[in-house]
Amino acid sequence: MSAPATVLVVDDDEDVLASLRRGLRLSGFAVLTATDGHGALAVVDQQRPDAMVLDMNMPVLDGTGVVTALREAGDDIPICVLSARSTVGDRIAGLEAGADDYLTKPFVLAELVARIKAMLRRRPGGVPSATVRVGDLELDPAGRRVHLRGIPVELTKREFELLEVLARNAGIVLSRDRLLSLVWGYDFDSDTNVVDVFVGYLRRKLESGGAPRLVHTVRGVGFVMRES
């Protein structure tokens, strides 16, 4: 029998921490905890968990700071950020810094468990494939590099994965549910606008400087990449 996946839970609220520790253990995970951002970074460095559940609103080093520090160090540990509904800006900042997913408080434990499992299914394991080209866009899966008209475009891990799926299916309209499955690994129904959020991030980066739109919305259906 394989060892259970280890999840690091980071929250400065001891009650929330205790509740998540108990719930995730009952759901089959090994659980590590930290009560602040610096503690989270220390745990990742010393014990290397398989995934992280990270509260955004913490003193000193907040969730965004943790995500930024890990991504700048080249660490791609899957991270699901937690945010109160009143701190939408924090949640967005976490995603832009490189977090993989988010949940708003309060949430149902079963959905958090499902999202953690989805993140773990998305861990890389295959051999990167050949370069993908769509019009002036060139995407290199092996080097995780993107160029548009010869100019490099800096993307987060999740932005890159979404762009790769869209590029490989250029001309094909992909529904939000399909993208949630292919990019986020969801195999469950979830009321989330995370696809729209990340499409917005891609557009902002790909269309900077007045470049024509590559990722188009098909109203009532989903999204499609078309050559400019």
Side-chain angles (χ1 to χ4, degrees):
M1 181 180 297
S2 60
T6 301
V7 178
L8 169 61
V9 180
V10 188
D11 201 303
D12 62 340
D13 186 319
E14 291 288 355
D15 292 334
V16 172
L17 206 61
S19 176
L20 287 176
R21 181 194 298 116
R22 181 173 59 254
L24 291 176
R25 283 177 176 169
L26 289 173
S27 299
F29 296 104
V31 181
L32 301 171
T33 60
T35 57
D36 57 50
H38 292 294
L41 294 177
V43 172
V44 171
D45 181 58
Q46 297 167 13
Q47 302 189 56
R48 190 55 195 173
D50 298 300
M52 183 187 299
V53 175
L54 176 68
D55 183 49
M56 293 304 294
N57 190 15
M58 296 183 294
V60 188
L61 182 63
D62 64 6
T64 302
V66 172
V67 177
T68 300
L70 290 170
R71 298 312 188 225
E72 287 183 348
D75 195 314
D76 62 355
I77 180 174
I79 300 173
C80 179
V81 297
L82 304 178
S83 175
R85 292 188 183 276
S86 60
T87 55
V88 176
D90 285 344
R91 185 171 70 243
I92 291 174
L95 291 173
E96 289 186 323
D100 298 275
D101 205 349
Y102 71 82
L103 269 178
T104 53
K105 296 178 179 180
F107 55 85
V108 177
L109 177 65
E111 181 166 11
L112 176 60
V113 169
R115 291 185 184 224
I116 293 170
K117 290 180 177 178
M119 290 195 306
L120 293 173
R121 284 195 297 271
R122 290 293 301 166
R123 286 183 295 186
V127 177
S129 49
T131 298
V132 181
R133 293 181 178 84
V134 181
D136 295 325
L137 179 77
E138 182 176 295
L139 185 146
D140 172 20
R144 300 190 75 82
R145 290 186 292 266
V146 174
H147 288 81
L148 183 61
R149 298 181 176 179
I151 300 172
V153 180
E154 295 297 325
L155 300 179
T156 67
K157 174 175 175 287
R158 189 62 76 205
E159 290 167 353
F160 184 93
E161 290 170 349
L162 175 58
L163 183 64
E164 182 178 6
V165 167
L166 289 167
R168 290 189 183 282
N169 292 276
I172 300 172
V173 180
L174 299 174
S175 68
R176 288 171 175 80
D177 287 344
R178 183 63 176 151
L179 289 169
L180 281 171
S181 173
L182 292 172
V183 180
W184 280 266
Y186 284 16
D187 58 2
F188 55 94
D189 293 332
S190 178
D191 181 17
T192 176
N193 68 339
V194 70
V195 174
D196 297 77
V197 170
F198 275 87
V199 166
Y201 295 162
L202 283 180
R203 284 174 173 166
R204 188 167 62 196
K205 293 181 178 181
L206 295 175
E207 297 172 18
S208 64
R213 176 153 295 181
L214 279 172
V215 182
H216 299 267
T217 302
V218 179
R219 192 175 300 278
V221 184
F223 300 96
V224 60
M225 177 174 284
R226 298 193 182 104
E227 293 187 24
S228 56

